[in-house]
Amino acid sequence: MHMPGDVVFGGLFEMNFFSIQPELSFTSEPQQPTCHGFDVLGFKQAQTMAFAIDEINRNPNLLPNVTLGYSVYDNCNKLGIGFRAALSLTSGQEDQVIIHEACEGSPPVLGIVGDDSSTRSIAISTVLGLYRVPTVSYFSTCSCLSDRQKFPSFFRTIPSDTFQVRAMIQILKHFGWTWAGLLISDNDYGLHAARSFQSDLSPADGGCLAYLEVLPQGDDPAELRRIVDVMRKSTARVVIVFAHEGHIINLMEEVVRQNVTGLQWMASEAWSSSATLQAPHLMPYLAGTLGIAIRRGEIPGLRDFMLRIHANLDQNNSYRINMVNQFWEHTFKCRFAPPPSGWVEAGGAICTGQEDLETVQTEFLDILNLRPEYNVYKAVYALAYALHELLQCEPGRGPFSGNSCGDLQRLEPWQLLHYLQKVNFTTSFGDEVSFDENGDVLPIYDIMNWQWLPDGGIKVQNVGEVKKSALKGEELTLHEDKIYWNFKSKKPPHSVCSESCPPGTRRARKKGEPECCFDCILCSEGKISNKNDSTECISCPEDFWSSLQRDLCVPKKTEFLSYHEPLGICLTATSLLGTFICAVVLCIFICHRQTPIVRANNSELSFQLLVSLKLCFLCSLLFIGHPRLWTCQLRHAAFGISFVLCVACILVKTMVVLAVFKASKPGGGASLKWFGAVQQRGTVLVLTSVQAAICTAWLVSASPVPHKNTQYHNDKIVYECVVGSTIGFAVLLGYIGLLALLSFLLAFLARNLPDNFNEAKLITFSMLIFCAVWVAFVPAYVSSPGKYADAVEVFAILASSFGLLLALFGPKCYIILLRPERNTKKAIMGRATTKS
């Protein structure tokens, strides 16, 4: 179809399904192939281009004083024919080329609208791109065409399959379908879509492919049976089909034969609006299909333009009239007599040319569902707006060499290409049209749903859209209340390989299976996952531990020897009891300080010993409660000094006993001068000062500090005091042990001294208890963890303190309170007098 103009745009459309190729011969003239099988939609798209150019020519604001023309070719759905048509558009059809002295004038066409097939567009754009002839496709979706290195002059008004794949992935993600099958056609359209799915689809973005099958080109029953069998056995309930309707018809017949129901179909734009597949016997299987469809648009005035088409009975007509006549025969089921030569007709009534298009129901006049036609409309306007900007160029400010502009009389395709890349306009329907750096238009798709009505009718309902904008990125809008689900539950199906892992677990991929097939493993102790389908568990912070469900980090339990637990209460009560007993004994001794038994046992040292024992009982309280810096520093210092004071008093008492006994012998009186009251107090003070110096050095050099120990229990924090310097702690204990051992040895030597009340025996027994307790303490302390180490030390303090208290003061209190008759000087000295 041709119409002359100042500038001519080319068009490639599929107006016939099939072609008969002539036999090739080197001896005869080449013959044109014969096309047949009229395609109403292809003819409708060609007429849309004619309408757009007519509308632009009538628009005074767009390309004023310029008349556009068109030259449209039928590609007959064949690569070879479409390729030859493209070359004819750009090179002309002259049988003989005359070389002028100067090559001037515009090429036959400045730009091409088409082709509708990705395969044909790849072949055409590969060649035309060398000459920078702009081609704007309205239906080629292959993502490979976005490669600017290979196709520098290719544009399209339909989104790339890359976006279509991402749109489908968004739908999968929206409904939680992580397990789907993919069927593709064995051509560029299907194979590139499969690559996009494999690269873009991941468990994080939408799921995994349960299977990927390539549909056979022709009728291959065995292969179709195998594919349908794979679909039937798979646990995937969602099937995505990237193919044209011709590939799907045979597949669906096999689906019906095997009665494979319960599947949710997802259709690519190639068949989402196919009337052929919306057959009643297929609806039990295909009802509820969700499909990606080309954006529907509205083109005011298109219907009236189409109604002006009329057949022509002139046999010497042009091909355009022949195409109209062929459309007429197809629409009214008639034929012209004689029929135009060049294609096969099925016969029928004679066409008069006066038939009325409004009396028949035909897709040609359906303007409510303009999808590819709307893309054709936008493609023509894109070329027109680019040409308009080219002609608006001001001389001297142009983008070309030497700031030059294009000239209407000598336009070049590459000049139009420059402006086409920058074109930006809005259609009357409100859609913005512009191209990115790859020649792709801002993508937008409608989402369609095949609805099976109660009366048996079929309706393809728009239920949403998916689009990409410069500001908001990709957006999915779905009206779920409008969607028809072909399931008993009337709800979306459940299509997953493995159920979602709840919080507290992590996904562990099953060996040899896709990532979407996994087991749910409970997080190990100390780790959590707080969301569904976590791939790994995260460790809790140092002071936290995992909950029982492993979905929350909770503060670790704290452990220390507390006043509120039974063990702490018992030790505290025992400590206070010992302190009280010491106070009682001290009161008894004060009240009976003039009695012989108190005076005979060095009452001043006894009072000091009782005070030091009271301090020993009280210092055990520093080991109970939450460890703090001051308690950690004070507990061992108080313990060491209190016990040294106690043992020093015992040591001096023992030495006094030996000195007194030695003084009772002839010539031994001089020994008592070294053990007067001042010397006794001085000795105790010096011995205690040594321990105070040790404690001071220890605290200054390596002071004990509170410590949070997490080594004993993973789920507990054990608060304890670390000694800081082990050497300092060992010296402190060693000094106490040295004094205790010395006291024990001296008391043991004095155990058989003649006296009715020989205190050396009591000291020997008390020191024996003391040493036994602290020798047992060391291994028990080392092997006890956490608070039990403090409990062991408190127990050792209390046990040794009670041992000293009872062994040294128990017999004396017994005599004072219960046997006062023995609390006399005569009774105390009686045994010694008898022996002497």
Side-chain angles (χ1 to χ4, degrees):
M1 300 194 310
H2 304 278
M3 188 182 82
D6 299 329
V7 177
V8 177
F9 291 151
L12 295 173
F13 298 92
E14 180 187 301
M15 288 181 275
N16 281 281
F17 285 116
F18 311 106
S19 66
I20 300 175
Q21 296 290 343
E23 294 184 6
L24 298 178
S25 172
F26 290 103
T27 59
S28 61
E29 291 292 328
Q31 299 179 3
Q32 295 292 336
T34 302
C35 298
H36 63 95
F38 190 74
D39 183 359
V40 176
L41 294 180
F43 183 70
K44 181 179 180 181
Q45 293 159 15
Q47 292 298 321
T48 303
M49 178 176 178
F51 167 77
I53 288 179
D54 179 69
E55 187 178 63
I56 293 169
N57 288 334
R58 290 184 285 107
N59 186 345
N61 298 318
L62 183 61
L63 292 174
N65 304 319
V66 177
T67 302
L68 292 181
Y70 58 80
S71 184
V72 176
Y73 279 78
D74 179 8
N75 60 39
C76 297
N77 197 25
K78 288 294 180 181
L79 173 59
I81 299 175
F83 187 74
R84 185 163 62 238
L87 293 182
S88 297
L89 286 170
T90 54
S91 305
Q93 293 182 301
E94 294 85 356
D95 294 331
Q96 185 178 7
V97 178
I98 300 175
I99 304 298
H100 297 281
E101 292 183 1
C103 294
E104 296 182 353
S106 300
V109 296
L110 204 60
I112 296 176
V113 176
D115 193 297
D116 64 324
S117 162
S118 293
T119 300
R120 290 192 291 273
S121 290
I122 290 171
I124 294 168
S125 297
T126 301
V127 176
L128 299 191
L130 299 174
Y131 304 99
R132 300 300 189 265
V133 177
T135 56
V136 185
S137 176
Y138 54 91
F139 213 67
S140 298
T141 59
C142 180
S143 58
C144 58
L145 287 164
S146 297
D147 188 343
R148 261 304 185 244
Q149 295 297 321
K150 293 181 179 179
F151 312 105
S153 63
F154 179 82
F155 297 82
R156 51 183 158 194
T157 53
I158 186 173
S160 162
D161 281 338
T162 299
F163 182 74
Q164 184 175 187
V165 168
R166 289 204 296 266
M168 286 189 169
I169 290 174
Q170 286 199 53
I171 296 174
L172 292 175
K173 192 173 182 180
H174 178 83
F175 290 109
W177 296 333
T178 59
W179 193 232
L182 177 62
L183 306 179
I184 62 170
S185 56
D186 189 11
N187 53 25
D188 291 310
Y189 177 72
L191 295 175
H192 281 88
R195 288 184 196 143
S196 296
F197 262 109
Q198 290 172 328
S199 62
D200 295 347
L201 188 62
S202 66
D205 291 329
C208 304
L209 292 179
Y211 53 85
L212 170 59
E213 298 292 341
V214 180
L215 298 175
Q217 287 280 9
D219 186 11
D220 188 347
E223 179 65 8
L224 289 172
R225 275 196 302 271
R226 187 194 67 79
I227 293 174
V228 174
D229 191 56
V230 170
M231 295 165 55
R232 181 171 52 82
K233 292 179 179 179
S234 174
T235 56
R237 297 293 88 199
V238 176
V239 181
I240 305 168
V241 184
F242 246 91
H244 293 89
E245 62 181 6
H247 296 94
I248 304 173
I249 292 172
N250 292 332
L251 171 72
M252 291 312 303
E253 294 299 336
E254 184 61 31
V255 168
V256 173
R257 196 174 295 113
Q258 294 193 30
N259 193 29
V260 181
T261 58
L263 297 179
Q264 174 63 47
W265 296 82
M266 290 185 66
S268 67
E269 40 74 34
W271 68 280
S272 60
S273 302
S274 171
T276 305
L277 292 171
Q278 294 170 22
H281 73 287
L282 296 180
M283 289 312 291
Y285 307 91
L286 288 177
T289 294
L290 286 175
I292 301 294
I294 301 169
R295 171 72 163 174
R296 186 191 73 84
E298 293 180 3
I299 307 176
L302 178 61
R303 178 181 171 85
D304 295 335
F305 178 83
M306 291 179 173
L307 286 174
R308 292 200 295 267
I309 295 174
H310 289 287
N312 195 309
L313 300 181
D314 182 9
Q315 299 303 309
N316 297 318
N317 50 26
S318 66
Y319 186 76
R320 178 182 186 278
I321 299 175
N322 284 342
M323 287 301 300
V324 172
N325 287 357
Q326 193 176 358
F327 160 69
W328 210 263
E329 290 178 336
H330 176 84
T331 303
F332 294 104
K333 306 302 183 215
C334 62
R335 65 181 178 84
F336 289 94
S341 61
W343 54 78
V344 180
E345 295 298 337
I350 301 298
C351 296
T352 65
Q354 302 303 314
E355 290 83 2
D356 188 358
L357 282 174
E358 292 197 88
T359 61
V360 293
Q361 186 174 1
T362 173
E363 292 179 281
F364 183 74
L365 294 178
D366 179 14
I367 62 168
L368 299 178
N369 197 32
L370 299 176
R371 297 183 186 279
E373 297 81 6
Y374 187 49
N375 284 346
V376 171
Y377 185 77
K378 290 189 290 186
V380 174
Y381 264 88
L383 290 170
Y385 272 103
L387 179 60
H388 181 81
E389 291 299 318
L390 188 154
L391 298 178
Q392 294 297 311
C393 175
E394 297 182 17
R397 295 186 178 182
F400 308 126
S401 177
N403 296 327
S404 62
C405 296
D407 183 2
L408 180 62
Q409 306 304 322
R410 290 181 295 179
L411 289 176
E412 295 291 342
W414 58 266
Q415 294 175 329
L416 182 65
L417 178 65
H418 174 83
Y419 286 95
L420 186 59
Q421 184 68 62
K422 299 180 179 181
V423 77
N424 191 329
F425 65 95
T426 303
T427 68
S428 57
F429 191 56
D431 290 334
E432 181 183 351
V433 179
S434 63
F435 300 106
D436 63 14
E437 64 276 6
N438 297 320
D440 291 323
V441 74
L442 282 175
I444 182 169
Y445 277 115
D446 289 336
I447 300 174
M448 312 305 293
N449 179 231
W450 291 18
Q451 302 187 351
W452 199 8
L453 304 178
D455 60 359
I458 301 165
K459 179 182 179 183
V460 180
Q461 174 71 40
N462 187 327
V463 294
E465 68 177 17
V466 57
K467 63 181 179 180
K468 182 178 181 180
S469 62
L471 297 177
K472 298 183 179 179
E474 295 179 8
E475 294 180 275
L476 172 67
T477 304
L478 268 177
H479 306 292
E480 292 190 46
D481 55 320
K482 296 181 179 180
I483 299 178
Y484 172 84
W485 302 106
N486 193 27
F487 303 96
K488 289 183 179 180
S489 63
K490 300 301 178 185
K491 294 181 180 179
H494 192 59
S495 185
V496 296
C497 181
S498 299
E499 293 297 331
S500 177
C501 288
T505 62
R506 64 175 178 85
R507 299 194 313 190
R509 183 175 175 179
K510 292 181 179 179
K511 189 174 181 180
E513 296 190 32
E515 238 181 296
C516 292
C517 301
F518 48 82
D519 294 317
C520 296
I521 307 298
L522 186 68
C523 291
S524 57
E525 290 187 344
K527 294 185 176 182
I528 66 159
S529 64
N530 53 10
K531 60 182 181 181
N532 291 332
D533 292 325
S534 294
T535 55
E536 60 182 15
C537 300
I538 56 176
S539 299
C540 289
E542 183 181 3
D543 292 346
F544 292 80
W545 194 247
S546 55
S547 61
L548 189 62
Q549 293 77 20
R550 308 285 200 276
D551 59 349
L552 186 67
C553 284
V554 296
K556 286 183 178 180
K557 297 178 181 178
T558 57
E559 182 179 275
F560 55 88
L561 190 58
S562 170
Y563 289 108
H564 304 291
E565 61 177 304
L567 180 60
I569 293 172
C570 291
L571 293 176
T572 302
T574 305
S575 173
L576 295 176
L577 177 62
T579 305
F580 176 73
I581 293 174
C582 285
V584 171
V585 171
L586 183 61
C587 291
I588 292 173
F589 268 53
I590 291 174
C591 293
H592 297 84
R593 62 183 178 279
Q594 300 300 329
T595 60
I597 197 168
V598 175
R599 297 182 64 190
N601 286 283
N602 198 329
S603 58
E604 185 177 347
L605 284 177
S606 296
F607 292 150
Q608 289 180 4
L609 183 58
L610 283 171
V611 172
S612 64
L613 282 174
K614 185 185 292 186
L615 292 176
C616 289
F617 279 115
L618 290 176
C619 78
S620 65
L621 297 177
L622 294 172
F623 291 84
I624 305 173
H626 197 295
R628 304 187 186 280
L629 180 61
W630 69 272
T631 58
C632 287
Q633 292 175 337
L634 189 59
R635 60 169 59 172
H636 288 107
F639 151 71
I641 293 173
S642 299
F643 266 87
V644 164
L645 177 61
C646 178
V647 176
C649 291
I650 294 173
L651 179 60
V652 171
K653 284 174 69 73
T654 306
M655 294 170 65
V656 170
V657 170
L658 288 173
V660 169
F661 177 73
K662 187 176 181 180
S664 64
K665 293 183 179 182
S671 60
L672 281 176
K673 68 179 181 179
W674 300 102
F675 291 96
V678 176
Q679 287 81 0
Q680 293 175 25
R681 289 193 289 269
T683 302
V684 172
L685 180 62
V686 169
L687 293 176
T688 305
S689 298
V690 172
Q691 184 73 308
I694 292 173
C695 291
T696 302
W698 180 19
L699 294 177
V700 171
S701 62
S703 173
V705 292
H707 173 63
K708 295 189 294 184
N709 194 322
T710 58
Q711 303 301 317
Y712 298 137
H713 306 284
N714 289 328
D715 59 340
K716 291 181 182 178
I717 298 176
V718 178
Y719 287 96
E720 60 184 8
C721 290
V722 292
V723 294
S725 172
T726 306
I727 295 175
F729 187 47
V731 171
L732 181 144
L733 290 178
Y735 183 66
I736 296 174
L738 177 64
L739 295 181
L741 182 62
L742 187 60
S743 298
F744 173 74
L745 291 175
L746 292 177
F748 182 76
L749 293 175
R751 70 189 186 284
N752 291 322
L753 294 180
D755 196 341
N756 195 31
F757 188 84
N758 187 357
E759 195 173 19
K761 292 181 179 180
L762 301 179
I763 293 174
T764 302
F765 184 64
S766 66
M767 285 295 101
L768 187 63
I769 295 174
F770 184 88
C771 291
V773 169
W774 287 102
V775 167
F777 159 76
V778 174
Y781 180 83
V782 171
S783 61
S784 298
K787 67 177 183 180
Y788 298 104
D790 291 336
V792 166
E793 191 164 357
V794 172
F795 179 79
I797 293 172
L798 296 177
S800 57
S801 299
F802 271 111
L804 294 175
L805 178 64
L806 296 177
L808 294 176
F809 295 98
K812 297 175 184 178
C813 290
Y814 172 75
I815 292 174
I816 292 173
L817 297 176
L818 301 179
R819 301 295 295 275
E821 69 276 6
R822 294 179 56 184
N823 191 6
T824 61
K825 186 175 182 181
K826 182 179 179 181
I828 293 173
M829 300 298 294
R831 182 182 178 192
T833 304
T834 303
K835 284 188 176 182
S836 61

